[in-house]
Amino acid sequence: SYVLTQPPSVSVAPGQTATITCAGNDIGGKSVHWYQQKPGQAPALVVYDDSDRPSGIPERFSGSNSGNTATLTISRVEAGDEADYFCQVWDTNSGHPHYVFGTGTQVTVL
Amino acid sequence: EVQLVESGGGSAQPGESLRLSCAGSGVSVSDYNMNWVRQAPGKGLEWVSVMHSGGRTYFADSVKGRFTINRHNSKNTLYLQMNSLRTEDTAVYYCARALYDSAGMDIWGQGTTVAVSS
């Protein structure tokens, strides 16, 4: 089955840039979505279709996708960005369509 | 206000059944692809199942043959029937909307907790 691998943790100082990667075989050929999940809350969509932002999501959140790696970039990090982040794709190559989530990355704001 | 509200979670023993509900408010569960996603304690997100607006359904391998998904259009409610429960099904279960095949999930419920133990 399709596997998406993320770094377990990323630490960043306030005002700096956090970069979260999502590695998968030829992920550049798929649409990647990113979710933010704060403790005790449901996930929230922050980037969809590789690089689009839902209404209300700050421009500080951006995404890219090419080759075997998709990336979520959080610019000018704020304390409120501290959360778990998950990438996601819809995989149709295995014969039965299904969503796949990445392993998740915990972002810590120093 | 647009929201999804899950209910039906609780405790069960291995082999027992539970039915989860996801009621839509301000959003029609029959007009979109509606998903169930779960999260075991301290773990990541795991997609469970989807019912497309046209009625097609898909399941994760981990629940295939044990779980079914359906909806009641007039009640605007999505269901997840969980049979032959296992301890590894213990999780918070979320329902979430996707606008189309392969889309991101833009509306999520608050989740309902299922605990399976002997």
Side-chain angles (χ1 to χ4, degrees), chain A residues 1 31 33 35 37 40-45 48-49 84 86 88-90 96-103, chain B residues 35 37 39 43-47 50 52 58-59 61 64 94 98 100-106 108-110:
Chain A
S1 64
S31 289
H33 317 298
Y35 299 88
Q37 186 180 32
Q41 297 184 16
L45 184 68
Y48 67 96
D49 291 348
D84 293 328
F86 298 89
Q88 179 202 41
V89 301
W90 175 251
H96 71 279
H98 61 287
Y99 279 108
V100 178
F101 283 98
T103 49
Chain B
N35 296 268
V37 175
Q39 187 169 36
K43 302 298 184 181
L45 301 174
E46 179 187 16
W47 174 78
V50 62
H52 286 178
Y58 300 103
F59 297 89
D61 287 344
K64 197 173 298 182
Y94 299 99
Y100 50 86
D101 294 7
S102 81
M105 300 174 189
D106 64 335
W108 292 68
Q110 85 290 346

Side-chain angles (χ1 to χ4, degrees), chain B residues 19 33 48 56:
Chain B
R19 188 181 77 160
N33 295 353
V48 174
R56 286 175 298 162

Side-chain angles (χ1 to χ4, degrees), chain B residues 21-68:
Chain B
S21 300
C22 169
S25 176
V27 54
S28 170
V29 302
S30 61
D31 287 345
Y32 302 99
N33 295 353
M34 297 300 298
N35 296 268
W36 288 98
V37 175
R38 68 184 181 184
Q39 187 169 36
K43 302 298 184 181
L45 301 174
E46 179 187 16
W47 174 78
V48 174
S49 180
V50 62
M51 184 170 207
H52 286 178
S53 57
R56 286 175 298 162
T57 61
Y58 300 103
F59 297 89
D61 287 344
S62 58
V63 305
K64 197 173 298 182
R66 300 188 298 122
F67 290 12
T68 58

Side-chain angles (χ1 to χ4, degrees), chain A residues 22-34:
Chain A
C22 175
N25 185 42
D26 194 28
I27 194 173
K30 303 179 184 299
S31 289
V32 179
H33 317 298
W34 290 91

